[in-house]
């Protein structure tokens, strides 16, 4: 899947032609180049991982997370064609039930990575989420939907970038760059505190309503000024005056 998708993306062809390349059993030059680059990069990252128990556990959980996210995408987003492994999986499974199970699996895996790895586990989860966003966007715009090859391409990329996030945290710690930590103080949970918070919420809502009304009224007022240069001057003075109100 990774090799075929690499060839299809490098072709810069329309979505129909890209799907034909995915179905082709031959391996093109771009697939070979990207596979070699992937193997070298993945091997380099594996050699740079700190041999600690949390890192090993997070690395193992990353494989489960990538597969759960890939299955969720197949059950939740449109497919590019009505044949292939992705269509077989989506049609054979109860989409709603499978989607729910996969979402629960993703959440549990993400929480476990956060509990076991703290900052690196969270970074790995965020990296997987970003890769998935790019995967869905690429599938929709460049292929017209999701296919089995794209699902494999996503899993390889997600595992690569999750491993890169894990290594990046280890490198930053070795360089002495400690993560920023914030201490959050819990306020007094009394009746008076709840009343003040509620009053502040109502006040903020009223200020927001007033701001929207002013913006709406200012737009109508500016339309009455026919001269465009005068309209720009009045708008500039209004922007200058707003911070002083």
């Amino acid at each position: 899947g990774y090799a075929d998708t690499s060839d299809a993306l490098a072709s810069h062809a329309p979505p129909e032609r890209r799907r034909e390349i995915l179905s082709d059993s031959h391996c093109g030059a771009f697939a070979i180049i990207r596979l070699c680059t992937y193997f070298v990069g993945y091997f380099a990252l594996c050699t740079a991982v700190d041999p600690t128990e949390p890192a090993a556990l997070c690395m193992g959980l990353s494989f489960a997370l990538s597969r759960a996210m890939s299955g969720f995408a197949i059950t939740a987003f449109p497919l590019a064609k009505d044949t292939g492994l992705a269509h077989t999986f989506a049609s054979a499974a109860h989409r709603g039930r499978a989607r729910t199970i996969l979402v629960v699996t993703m959440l549990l895996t993400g929480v476990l990575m956060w509990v076991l790895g703290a900052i690196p586990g969270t970074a790995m989860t965020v990296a997987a989420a970003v890769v998935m966003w790019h995967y869905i966007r690429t599938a929709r715009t460049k292929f017209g939907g999701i296919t089995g090859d794209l699902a494999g391409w996503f899993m390889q990329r997600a595992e690569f970038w999750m491993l890169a996030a894990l290594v990046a945290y280890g490198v930053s710690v070795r360089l002495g760059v400690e993560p920023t930590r914030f201490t959050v103080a819990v306020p007094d949970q009394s009746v008076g505190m709840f009343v003040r918070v509620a009053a502040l919420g109502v006040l903020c809502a009223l200020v927001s309503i007033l701001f929207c009304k002013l913006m709406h009224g200012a737009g109508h007022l500016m339309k009455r000024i026919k001269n465009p240069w005068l309209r720009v001057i009045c708008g500039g003075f209004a922007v200058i005056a707003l911070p002083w109100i």
Side-chain angles (χ1 to χ4, degrees):
Y2 184 84
D4 290 336
T5 305
S6 298
D7 274 335
L9 288 173
S11 68
H12 298 283
E16 296 80 9
R17 176 55 185 158
R18 287 195 176 104
R19 290 195 293 268
E20 292 177 2
I21 295 174
L22 292 180
S23 303
D24 191 351
S25 59
H26 296 86
C27 197
F30 289 102
I32 300 298
I33 294 172
R34 294 198 181 188
L35 280 175
C36 292
T37 305
Y38 182 91
F39 290 144
V40 172
Y42 198 86
F43 177 76
L45 290 173
C46 287
T47 60
V49 175
D50 288 330
T52 59
E53 183 178 354
L57 291 173
C58 287
M59 190 174 175
L61 289 171
S62 68
F63 298 110
L65 181 60
S66 65
R67 281 151 180 79
M69 296 175 80
S70 179
F72 169 75
I74 292 176
T75 58
F77 298 100
L79 302 178
K81 52 185 180 180
D82 55 359
T83 58
L85 291 176
H87 180 265
T88 302
F89 172 79
S91 59
H94 189 283
R95 294 178 73 102
R97 188 178 305 167
R99 191 184 304 121
T100 302
I101 294 174
L102 290 168
V103 168
V104 172
T105 303
M106 289 191 310
L107 292 176
L108 289 177
T109 307
V111 170
L112 279 174
M113 293 175 69
W114 172 70
V115 171
L116 296 173
I119 295 176
T122 304
M124 294 172 72
T125 306
V126 172
V130 173
V131 174
M132 185 174 183
W133 170 80
H134 180 260
Y135 161 51
I136 299 302
R137 184 172 178 271
T138 301
R140 284 180 172 177
T141 58
K142 298 184 179 181
F143 292 91
I146 292 174
T147 67
D149 290 315
L150 285 170
W153 174 74
F154 159 72
M155 284 194 299
Q156 298 302 122
R157 285 170 54 85
E159 291 165 7
F160 184 92
W161 288 109
M162 280 191 284
L163 183 59
L166 179 62
V167 172
Y169 174 78
V171 171
S172 66
V173 172
R174 290 181 182 181
L175 293 176
V177 182
E178 291 293 333
T180 303
R181 292 180 172 85
F182 300 93
T183 302
V184 180
V186 180
D188 182 24
Q189 299 181 5
S190 60
V191 177
M193 175 61 69
F194 282 111
V195 171
R196 288 195 292 271
V197 170
L200 179 62
V202 173
L203 180 62
C204 292
L206 293 175
V207 172
S208 301
I209 294 173
L210 177 62
F211 177 77
C212 294
K213 293 286 187 182
L214 288 174
M215 293 297 294
H216 188 69
H220 284 288
L221 182 62
M222 287 298 176
K223 289 180 181 179
R224 296 182 180 180
I225 303 176
K226 303 301 181 181
N227 192 316
W229 294 101
L230 182 60
R231 191 184 306 148
V232 170
I233 294 173
C234 293
F237 278 113
V239 171
I240 295 173
L242 278 176
W244 300 96
I245 297 178

